[in-house]
Amino acid sequence: MVQAAVVLLFGGRSSEHSISSATAGGVLRAIDRDRYRVIPVGITREGAYVLEDDDPDKFALNADRLPEVVDNGTRVIWPESTVERGLSVRHPDGTVESLGDIDVVFPILHGRFGEDGTVQGFLELLDLPYVGAGLLMSAIGMDKHTTKSILQAAGVPVVPWVTVTRAGLDRDGDLWRRRIRGLGLPVFVKPARAGSSVGVSKVSEWDELDAALDTAFAEDSSVLVEQAVVGREVECGVLQGRDGADPRVSVAGEIVVSGRDFYDFEAKYLGAPGIDLVCPAELHDGELREMQRIAARAFEAVGGQGLSRVDFFYTGTEFFVNEVNTMPGFTPISMFPTCWIQSGLSYPELITELIELAR
């Protein structure tokens, strides 16, 4: 079997750099080495493309040391035009080495400057096939306000929200605070364009609002304030259908919050207590079918390419879509691969399916 060359692109300039690096470790460990020749390309926090080590253990996620891409002095040289597919690396001593032709790029980048359409646009300029959502779907999925607006227009139930900018708040703070208070308590405050629960706060009293806004504005100039929904937090994975077929939707997983305010960064990635991930979630057949139907509709509404994880609040009578994540985490405790494993697709098979969809 001729191996296809897969560039694994990870790290990046966003606040989710370490999560992307940890995801890379999971993919490096699980990818089918008989089918694919892997070229690990890391992006430093400063935006340099470096040739990284093909070592899953280097990017293991633990609370004592979050993994990262460190500038090792190499520089990856991308193809010069669309008629070429050759990748090269310039070593610190100035010598240039060919890494061979690229078949597909796997950009496992979370957050801005990677999950938001920027890298997707770069790869399209080079005419390189890549895993995941395209430029427009990535940009839509990265912006929570735009996602909610499009889902709402498509008839997908979403949680009531108010979007506010720092400039708007400075210009007419009383107006925006009245609009926010109209949502009632509690509310969640989150950056419009960040993921992995970075910058997210729960506000149970209005005197906590300003601090929560400051935390979110540290990540983005646009912030969402969402009405809290009393219900279960359930999620499912979606994969693009083959050859124009309908999207495929996994079984549901559930986030059971017992000892924390919400599913925050520490619980999501560092295994902090107070959260249990249950997969498959306990749902009646009719409930699961309805959730899967809405998930597929949400996926298609924002572009219907590659993959996504669709997050819901379930009140017992209605499913509300919370977010559509176009590049969910692949870490060992992440929900997206877990849901597909419970649906009969192993972790290596899931990676293979994503690469073959891109090709």
Side-chain angles (χ1 to χ4, degrees):
M1 179 186 296
V2 178
Q3 289 178 308
V6 177
V7 173
L8 194 62
L9 194 59
F10 60 95
R13 293 170 53 198
S14 84
S15 56
E16 298 171 78
H17 176 103
S18 291
I19 301 307
S20 172
S21 300
T23 298
V27 174
L28 286 172
R29 181 171 280 109
I31 194 168
D32 187 342
R33 300 291 179 149
D34 291 331
R35 297 184 66 150
Y36 305 115
R37 177 174 67 89
V38 182
I39 306 171
V41 175
I43 305 175
T44 69
R45 295 183 189 275
E46 293 74 37
Y49 293 85
V50 302
L51 184 63
E52 260 292 1
D53 298 321
D54 190 352
D55 179 7
D57 293 333
K58 180 178 179 178
F59 303 106
L61 186 62
N62 62 70
D64 298 324
R65 186 194 63 81
L66 295 177
E68 66 175 321
V69 176
V70 177
D71 194 340
N72 57 22
T74 63
R75 289 294 181 269
V76 169
I77 304 170
W78 293 91
E80 294 183 355
S81 74
T82 60
V83 299
E84 300 178 23
R85 285 270 178 100
L87 197 71
S88 302
V89 59
R90 186 174 67 249
H91 294 286
D93 63 3
T95 59
V96 175
E97 175 190 358
S98 171
L99 299 173
D101 286 353
I102 304 167
D103 289 296
V104 66
V105 179
F106 196 156
I108 45 173
L109 295 158
H110 305 306
R112 299 180 69 187
F113 313 114
E115 193 180 348
D116 58 356
T118 49
V119 164
Q120 288 75 14
F122 168 69
L123 296 173
E124 288 190 16
L125 285 171
L126 295 175
D127 199 25
L128 293 174
Y130 58 90
V131 169
L135 190 160
L136 181 59
M137 182 177 171
S138 297
I140 291 170
M142 191 66 211
D143 189 297
K144 295 179 179 67
H145 174 79
T146 303
T147 297
K148 282 177 172 287
S149 299
I150 290 173
L151 293 179
Q152 191 174 60
V156 175
V158 294
V159 177
W161 83 100
V162 171
T163 301
V164 60
T165 63
R166 172 63 82 185
L169 201 61
D170 290 342
R171 187 169 55 249
D172 198 342
D174 289 342
L175 171 65
W176 285 105
R177 285 180 173 83
R178 284 198 302 272
R179 290 177 176 173
I180 291 169
R181 285 172 182 264
L183 295 170
L185 285 171
V187 294
F188 283 96
V189 180
K190 52 180 78 170
R193 291 162 292 199
S196 298
S197 300
V198 174
V200 178
S201 304
K202 183 179 181 180
V203 171
S204 300
E205 301 293 340
W206 289 123
D207 59 9
E208 301 166 355
L209 178 63
D210 286 348
L213 288 168
D214 288 341
T215 298
F217 278 128
E219 294 294 328
D220 196 358
S221 59
S222 183
V223 166
L224 269 71
V225 184
E226 294 177 341
Q227 186 180 91
V229 174
V230 178
R232 299 164 64 184
E233 293 187 48
V234 287
E235 305 177 344
C236 58
V238 184
L239 289 173
Q240 178 183 340
R242 288 272 193 151
D243 302 319
D246 290 338
R248 295 161 286 172
V249 186
S250 74
V251 300
E254 181 171 4
I255 301 158
V256 180
V257 181
S258 55
R260 306 181 81 82
D261 281 341
F262 64 99
Y263 191 30
D264 58 12
F265 181 93
E266 286 74 18
K268 192 172 288 187
Y269 295 107
L270 302 179
I275 298 290
D276 293 314
L277 302 184
V278 179
C279 188
E282 290 188 16
L283 293 170
H284 299 306
D285 289 346
E287 292 173 321
L288 178 60
R289 284 195 298 271
E290 176 66 0
M291 179 179 169
Q292 291 172 326
R293 182 190 69 80
I294 297 172
R297 187 170 184 178
F299 178 73
E300 292 189 310
V302 298
Q305 298 167 310
L307 71 156
S308 71
R309 192 194 68 232
V310 183
D311 303 345
F312 293 85
F313 295 118
Y314 181 46
T315 65
T317 58
E318 190 169 9
F319 287 97
F320 291 94
V321 172
N322 181 33
E323 292 185 25
V324 178
N325 191 315
T326 59
M327 185 46 72
F330 280 76
T331 64
I333 59 173
S334 294
M335 190 66 92
F336 181 83
T338 301
C339 285
W340 280 111
I341 290 167
Q342 291 297 322
S343 301
L345 199 63
S346 72
Y347 192 17
E349 288 170 341
L350 176 60
I351 293 168
T352 296
E353 178 64 13
L354 289 169
I355 293 171
E356 294 308 311
L357 277 172
R359 295 182 70 191

